[in-house]
Amino acid sequence: AQVKQLEAQFNPHFLFNTLDNIRFMSKIDPDEADKMIVALSSLLRYSISDASEEITVEEDMQYTKSYLTILKIRFNKRFTYEISIEDKIRQCRIPKLMMQSLIENAVKYGYGDGETLHVSIRGKEENGKRIFVCKDDGAGMDVELLQRIRENLRMPVNRSNHHGIYNINRRIQLMYHGDYGVSLKSKKGEGTVVTLTLPVNLIGLEENYKL
């Protein structure tokens, strides 16, 4: 039940900002507004669907691209991104909405006083684990804030405003056993790196619960 609750926490601020941008774009560029509507509809269907919490990396990246489409229209030249996923993990299954939350965190805290932001997403298999890395060249964090977030990730209840990162980490802890979850590296003025670690061979969640 807690996994379901964490999964359902779609960021309302993102929704409000997107709708406000659609209202604005509908007056100056109806074609771009239409793209945003299509992308947002796809994301909302994905987030509230009754499908399994697990989805292939390939499928998740398709929805992630819908999210990136909205960000690209919203920020225009101020936002750039790149995606690199190893072919051998594309059909592996992962908990849904993971990548979107990592990017959302990068955008929310990355801009700071800067004008532009570049985000890279990479997925690979390494040392018997699947590693996903979301790196940005944004504002970064000072040592004290980074330590507070790291400490909060170890808590059973979220005591900070960083819901996206906490939710991902907590969902992984509840779903899988082992040394898996979220880790962060950051330096003020140089950006943030969020690494997501999952097991390589995931069985279906229903089978997992039966075990």
Side-chain angles (χ1 to χ4, degrees):
Q2 190 174 357
V3 171
K4 290 287 189 182
Q5 181 184 18
L6 291 168
E7 181 189 43
Q9 293 181 9
F10 194 87
N11 189 339
H13 297 292
F14 167 73
L15 181 59
F16 294 149
N17 287 335
T18 301
L19 290 173
D20 194 49
N21 274 266
I22 289 173
R23 181 180 65 85
F24 175 74
M25 294 300 295
S26 66
K27 297 177 182 179
I28 65 171
D29 194 335
D31 289 339
E32 292 292 84
D34 183 68
K35 289 180 183 178
M36 292 184 79
I37 292 170
V38 171
L40 180 60
S41 297
S42 176
L43 278 176
L44 290 176
R45 280 194 299 268
Y46 176 49
S47 66
I48 65 175
S49 68
D50 293 329
S52 169
E53 293 144 342
E54 287 181 327
I55 189 170
T56 66
V57 173
E58 183 74 33
E59 291 172 306
D60 191 72
M61 291 313 301
Q62 292 302 314
Y63 290 103
T64 298
K65 288 177 181 177
S66 292
Y67 181 65
L68 290 166
T69 294
I70 293 173
L71 294 178
K72 188 62 180 173
I73 296 173
R74 178 182 172 189
F75 293 104
N76 203 345
K77 294 181 180 179
R78 295 181 59 212
F79 177 76
T80 56
Y81 69 89
E82 60 178 316
I83 301 174
S84 176
I85 306 294
E86 287 186 352
D87 289 339
K88 64 181 178 181
I89 69 168
R90 285 182 176 272
Q91 296 308 312
C92 293
R93 302 183 71 80
I94 62 172
K96 69 179 187 178
L97 296 171
M98 292 283 177
M99 297 300 106
Q100 179 182 322
S101 295
L102 294 183
I103 300 167
E104 179 183 320
N105 186 79
V107 171
K108 183 176 181 180
Y109 299 102
Y111 273 102
D113 296 327
E115 286 295 319
T116 62
L117 183 71
H118 179 76
V119 176
S120 67
I121 305 156
R122 303 191 182 280
K124 60 183 178 179
E125 183 179 327
E126 185 177 282
N127 298 325
K129 298 177 181 178
R130 267 177 299 157
I131 310 295
F132 296 92
V133 179
C134 181
K135 180 180 180 180
D136 69 71
D137 62 354
M141 309 176 194
D142 57 40
V143 175
E144 291 77 13
L145 176 57
L146 180 61
Q147 185 60 31
R148 288 200 302 270
I149 295 175
R150 285 172 171 171
E151 291 175 356
N152 188 65
L153 289 175
R154 295 192 287 268
M155 304 295 290
V157 178
N158 188 12
R159 302 186 184 280
S160 78
N161 294 322
H162 299 271
H163 299 291
I165 292 295
Y166 179 86
N167 286 359
I168 293 173
N169 193 60
R170 186 60 177 160
R171 283 172 63 196
I172 294 172
Q173 290 176 344
L174 291 168
M175 292 166 67
Y176 313 115
H177 300 289
D179 186 22
Y180 308 114
V182 174
S183 62
L184 289 88
K185 294 181 180 179
S186 187
K187 189 172 182 180
K188 192 72 173 178
E190 296 186 11
T192 300
V193 179
V194 182
T195 301
L196 173 63
T197 304
L198 293 169
V200 170
N201 297 315
L202 296 180
I203 60 177
L205 285 178
E206 291 184 1
E207 288 185 60
N208 198 26
Y209 293 149
K210 289 177 183 177
L211 294 175

